[in-house]
Amino acid sequence: MLIKRVRVNQLQPGMFICDLNCNWIEHNFFFSKFKINAGDIQKITDMGIKEVSIDTSKGLDVVSAPSEEKVRHEIDVKFMKQAEGLGEPIREVPLVEEIRKANVIRAEAKLTIKNVLADVRLGNQVRIDQVQDVVPKMTDSIFRNKDALLGLSRIKTMDEYLFFHSVSACVLLVSLSHALNITREQINEIGIGALLHDIGKVKVHPDILNKPGKLTDEEFAKMKDHVTLGYDILKGTAGIPEAALLVTHQHHERFDGSGYPNKLKGNKLSLYGQMASIVDVYDALTSDRCYHKGMESTDALRKIFEWSQFHFDPVIVQHFIRCVGVYPIGTLVRLDNQRLAVVIESGKENLTKPKVRVMYEIKSRSFLKPYDVDLAKPKAPCNIVSWEPPADYDINPFEYTDLLI
């Protein structure tokens, strides 16, 4: 079996697609692996997908196409090389000091969005005062030490996806805004949009919203309507800032014009819309759903980096990688001394050299007394060789960091 990466304009009927290479919610094919016909090629083209992976043992080949393994290796090299040149901004307070405050703020934000969505479901007006109260608290926490809320935002439950996704999107978008040196006042307005960006989903039928499988064409169209529905709700709400409306209305647009609802392209898409689209895809990729197992954060960042060739602005993606960190807090990593560790602090000068807590011996399959290693130190005793945890190890990394409480 040889998997190859091909451009969409190279597709022919009879090829076997094994990976559509797009965000899981951006297509409504019933299968992710299938032999294509002419209609499928047109559908793939219309969706704005640029490259796919084919299995040459099950369908036609493209002789000149590179192997998937080669493409992935080249992307990984570029991704890690870029990360080596990125460092962390100075944190005002230590993570251990900020994490407890952040935990309270996150709980308040989740309760706020839960109440707002419940009100809208009942036909009531959006209580914008609730949102205006909690977003500045999130902004202040991120300015003190963004790793606190970013780390906590990775802890989610599948049954409350919409609430946690809204809070996580707000944390990520405020962090990205901070990395882009946007003013605090404007960041608060962007944060309001992030917390409310999926408000239109309360108008989508629950059977479609929670369907444990691929949507039909009709269902997919109705799901996409949540963007316009949310924009209409907020546009009719007094006190909603313009930045929040842009975030809500454009978070599914793409830089190359392949998004929805208006297929905005390039500078027709606002800065806030471009930022929101990156954040929304990243959080969706890293979240568990009933029909979708979330990616490891580093894998999701690599995909975002890859898609910056087409769908996202590369400069904004670079800032996003910097603010999230190549190895976000809570990432389980494999070390070259055959031990597993969990990342507890992003690298201050080099994002590929975080601080980790070592807690497992792979060879003996035994837990160790946890100890911390700063991989940025000149004489660090080990280094990261992979961010992919072994498949047969059932380890929850958050159990081994007493910071995230």
Side-chain angles (χ1 to χ4, degrees), residues 17 53 63 150 175 211 227 231 241 243 297 335 351-352 359 380 385 389:
I17 288 182
S53 298
V63 177
L150 281 173
S175 299
K211 185 176 179 179
V227 175
Y231 175 72
S297 296
L335 305 175
L351 295 183
T352 66
M359 44 62 181
V385 293

Side-chain angles (χ1 to χ4, degrees), residues 101-367:
K101 297 175 186 175
N103 208 16
V104 174
I105 294 168
R106 179 175 181 258
E108 183 181 344
K110 181 195 163 194
L111 182 60
T112 297
I113 189 61
K114 205 169 188 177
N115 291 337
V116 167
L117 295 181
D119 283 344
V120 173
R121 219 174 255 118
L122 293 172
N124 299 326
Q125 281 276 22
V126 174
R127 290 276 308 278
I128 188 62
D129 56 309
Q130 297 180 51
V131 183
Q132 288 172 327
D133 181 54
V134 74
V135 169
K137 296 177 184 178
M138 298 171 78
T139 301
D140 289 343
S141 176
I142 286 165
F143 269 68
R144 289 190 296 266
N145 190 321
K146 65 177 181 55
D147 282 344
L149 272 174
L150 281 173
L152 289 169
S153 70
R154 298 189 65 214
I155 306 174
K156 310 166 191 172
T157 59
M158 192 163 52
D159 57 334
E160 293 190 299
Y161 169 75
L162 184 54
F163 308 130
F164 281 116
H165 174 60
S166 299
V167 174
S168 296
C170 186
V171 172
L172 289 163
L173 196 49
V174 168
S175 299
L176 178 56
S177 300
H178 183 28
L180 289 168
N181 294 316
I182 293 173
T183 66
R184 190 179 292 233
E185 180 182 358
Q186 200 71 13
I187 288 175
N188 287 335
E189 294 181 356
I190 296 167
I192 290 171
L195 200 60
L196 299 174
H197 79 285
D198 267 345
I199 195 169
K201 286 186 176 178
V202 300
K203 300 295 185 181
V204 177
H205 198 283
D207 289 348
I208 296 175
L209 196 62
N210 302 312
K211 185 176 179 179
K214 290 300 178 185
L215 304 176
T216 65
D217 288 349
E218 183 180 359
E219 290 169 338
F220 191 57
K222 289 181 178 178
M223 174 64 88
K224 286 163 56 171
D225 282 343
H226 81 272
V227 175
T228 303
L229 291 169
Y231 175 72
D232 289 343
I233 290 169
L234 295 184
K235 196 175 181 181
T237 302
I240 291 288
E242 180 65 21
L245 290 174
L246 290 171
V247 168
T248 303
H249 205 204
Q250 297 181 359
H251 70 276
H252 277 293
E253 299 286 359
R254 298 291 178 262
F255 196 60
D256 61 352
S258 63
Y260 64 86
N262 295 316
K263 294 191 175 297
L264 300 177
K265 184 177 182 179
N267 60 12
K268 297 292 184 182
L269 179 58
S270 72
L271 171 63
Y272 306 145
Q274 293 178 50
M275 294 160 58
S277 70
I278 294 169
V279 161
D280 186 68
V281 169
Y282 172 80
D283 192 68
L285 286 173
T286 54
S287 298
D288 287 340
R289 304 294 301 278
C290 55
Y291 48 86
H292 165 77
K293 174 65 177 172
M295 286 184 182
E296 288 296 316
S297 296
T298 305
D299 286 329
L301 282 172
R302 188 186 65 79
K303 294 301 294 183
I304 297 287
F305 175 74
E306 177 184 345
W307 290 333
S308 67
Q309 300 176 75
F310 313 110
H311 304 304
F312 307 119
D313 185 306
V315 174
I316 300 176
V317 167
Q318 184 181 42
H319 283 284
F320 183 68
I321 293 170
R322 180 173 180 260
C323 82
V324 175
V326 172
Y327 303 109
I329 306 299
T331 301
L332 187 66
V333 293
R334 191 198 305 247
L335 305 175
D336 56 10
N337 61 1
Q338 292 302 299
R339 292 182 173 182
L340 298 182
V342 58
V343 175
I344 60 171
E345 189 175 297
S346 300
K348 292 185 175 67
E349 297 180 2
N350 185 337
L351 295 183
T352 66
K353 303 285 185 181
K355 188 174 183 179
V356 301
R357 181 159 295 159
V358 185
M359 44 62 181
Y360 193 86
E361 174 72 55
I362 295 175
K363 188 175 290 186
S364 63
R365 300 180 71 88
S366 60
F367 287 93

Side-chain angles (χ1 to χ4, degrees), residues 11-42:
L11 290 176
Q12 298 178 42
M15 289 182 176
F16 188 91
I17 288 182
C18 57
D19 185 357
L20 283 164
N21 193 36
C22 67
N23 182 16
W24 59 275
I25 205 170
E26 296 299 328
H27 72 85
N28 58 330
F29 283 101
F30 282 98
F31 304 100
S32 57
K33 301 180 180 181
F34 56 98
K35 186 169 284 191
I36 58 172
N37 56 40
D40 293 328
I41 295 174
Q42 187 59 53

